[in-house]
Every structure is written in structure tokens, then in C-alpha cells.
């Protein structure tokens, strides 16, 4: 019996995830450090959004082999931006919760060993006030299709937001096409160390 279209998309996504995760694991620390510095630099060069004291930006604290966001978070705070980071709720996958980023000293290890803020939790409605959301991805394509880890937390969280959605990826992870499901939330931008912000779609 042949695979259904859903099975084909799921299998293609799984294979692509494995390749991208392996490619990230093969990067050396010097390359990672340079990428993190470059990402932070784009917070003040050719930014297509307002990043000022009255602006709220959702971002995330990188872990493992993800593009490093620590310097980028600090660069946003230095601009006076209100930065919110996600907290993964207990239980089955659902919309994320959020809390304000106050510095690296205010992070703890949360669910799935993710770095999360320790401040007062806000519901996913915090995204209603965000103008920009810088979100993790393994890759994004030129149409705006984002490939995440597969749990669906971000797709559930971003479905109703009016924020500009930006997938943060390494150079080489902006692909021509990624297999897509109907529930995948498209993003409008990519952010890479080499090219900065690029409009998608």
C-alpha cells in the first residue's frame, strides 16, 4: 500500500531534519561564535522593523547547536526593546507561555533543557503586543515555509499573531523548498549571519 500524502510530507520532513541536525553538529565552535556575533550585529544594521524602547520583540534563548542568540538578546535590550522569551508549558504540546528577558542571569533550565526566563509568566496572548517574533527553525524556504523540530509549539502559538515572523537560521539553511503541511505557519522573513534580514514569500 502506498503512502498517503501526509505520510510523504512527514517522512520528507523527518529526513530533512536529520540532515540539518547533522550539519549543525558538524560545525566548529569558531564558526558558531562568529555566526552569533554576526546575528547580534544585524540588530543595528539595515533592520527593516522598529526596534525602539516602546517595541516588544519575542525571541528565544538558543541552546545546543542552534544559531546563538545570547548576544542578539543583549543587543535588543541595549536598544531598550522589551524582549519576551518562551516558556514550554507542562503537558502535551500547546501554545507557549512567555516572560520578560532581563539578562542571562535571569534564565533557568526548563522543559526539554531549554533556557527559559524566571520572571512572571504571561500567556500566549503576550504575542498580541509583539511587533516582531524572532523564532527558531532548522531551515526556512523562500516561500516562508519554516521547518521546526516537529512538536508544533510555535505553529500553535503564532497562528493568530500580527507580529512580523522571522526565522533565525544559519547561512545555507534558507532552502528553495521545504515540504509543508496545511497547518504550518508561514514566516515573512529569514535572519542569517551572512545576509541579515531577507523578505520571503
Amino acid at each position: 500500500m502506498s503512502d498517503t500524502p501526509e505520510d510523504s510530507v512527514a517522512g520528507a520532513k523527518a529526513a530533512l531534519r536529520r540532515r540539518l541536525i547533522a550539519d549543525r553538529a558538524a560545525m566548529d565552535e569558531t564558526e558558531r561564535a562568529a555566526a552569533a556575533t554576526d546575528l547580534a550585529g544585524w540588530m543595528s544594521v539595515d533592520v527593516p522593523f522598529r526596534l525602539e524602547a516602546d517595541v516588544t520583540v519575542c525571541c528565544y534563548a538558543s541552546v545546543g547547536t542552534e544559531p546563538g542568540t545570547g548576544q542578539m538578546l543583549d543587543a535588543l535590550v541595549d536598544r531598550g526593546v522589551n524582549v519576551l522569551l518562551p516558556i514550554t508549558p507542562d503537558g502535551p504540546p500547546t501554545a507557549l507561555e512567555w516572560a520578560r528577558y532581563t539578562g542571562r542571569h535571569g534564565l533557568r533550565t526548563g522543559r526539554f533543557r531549554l533556557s527559559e526566563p524566571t520572571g512572571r509568566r504571561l500567556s500566549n496572548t503576550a504575542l498580541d503586543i509583539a511587533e516582531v517574533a524572532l523564532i527558531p527553525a532548522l531551515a526556512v524556504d523562500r516561500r516562508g515555509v519554516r521547518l521546526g523540530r516537529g512538536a508544533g509549539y510555535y505553529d500553535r502559538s503564532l497562528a493568530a499573531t500580527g507580529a512580523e515572523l522571522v526565522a533565525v537560521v544559519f547561512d545555507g539553511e534558507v532552502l528553495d523548498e521545504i515540504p509543508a503541511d496545511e497547518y504550518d505557519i508561514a514566516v515573512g522573513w529569514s535572519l542569517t549571519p551572512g545576509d541579515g534580514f531577507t523578505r520571503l514569500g
Side-chain angles (χ1 to χ4, degrees):
M1 184 171 63
S2 62
D3 290 343
T4 65
E6 291 80 7
D7 291 334
S8 298
V9 170
K13 283 184 172 182
L16 182 56
R17 283 190 186 99
R18 288 192 294 271
R19 178 174 70 79
L20 292 163
I21 289 170
D23 288 346
R24 285 186 173 185
M27 295 176 65
D28 64 44
E29 291 305 316
T30 300
E31 189 176 3
R32 293 184 205 284
T37 298
D38 289 342
L39 287 172
W42 288 112
M43 297 304 101
S44 58
V45 178
D46 294 331
V47 183
F49 321 110
R50 285 193 324 116
L51 295 180
E52 301 171 5
D54 62 337
V55 171
T56 295
V57 172
C58 290
C59 195
Y60 66 100
S62 59
V63 295
T65 60
E66 291 179 328
T69 61
Q71 295 178 63
M72 186 167 69
L73 290 171
D74 292 338
L76 289 168
V77 170
D78 287 346
R79 292 180 68 104
V81 173
N82 178 42
V83 179
L84 301 178
L85 301 186
I87 298 171
T88 307
D90 294 331
T94 185
L96 295 163
E97 297 176 345
W98 302 85
R100 187 173 183 178
Y101 174 71
T102 57
R104 300 184 204 191
H105 62 280
L107 298 176
R108 67 175 180 88
T109 301
R111 194 177 182 194
F112 306 125
R113 302 193 62 79
L114 299 176
S115 292
E116 298 178 343
T118 57
R120 181 172 66 91
R121 289 193 179 200
L122 307 172
S123 73
N124 194 58
T125 57
L127 279 173
D128 292 344
I129 64 171
E131 295 192 22
V132 182
L134 300 159
I135 59 178
L138 288 170
V140 67
D141 74 16
R142 301 187 190 283
R143 302 170 298 166
V145 175
R146 168 187 166 271
L147 183 69
R149 295 277 180 168
Y153 285 99
Y154 277 92
D155 285 323
R156 291 176 173 87
S157 301
L158 300 171
T161 183
E164 295 280 4
L165 304 182
V166 184
V168 182
V169 292
F170 287 110
D171 299 333
E173 293 177 344
V174 179
L175 308 180
D176 288 333
E177 186 172 353
I178 291 173
D181 290 295
E182 62 181 16
Y183 55 78
D184 288 331
I185 301 300
V187 302
W189 302 82
S190 64
L191 172 61
T192 63
D195 293 327
F197 292 95
T198 301
R199 196 74 164 101
L200 304 173

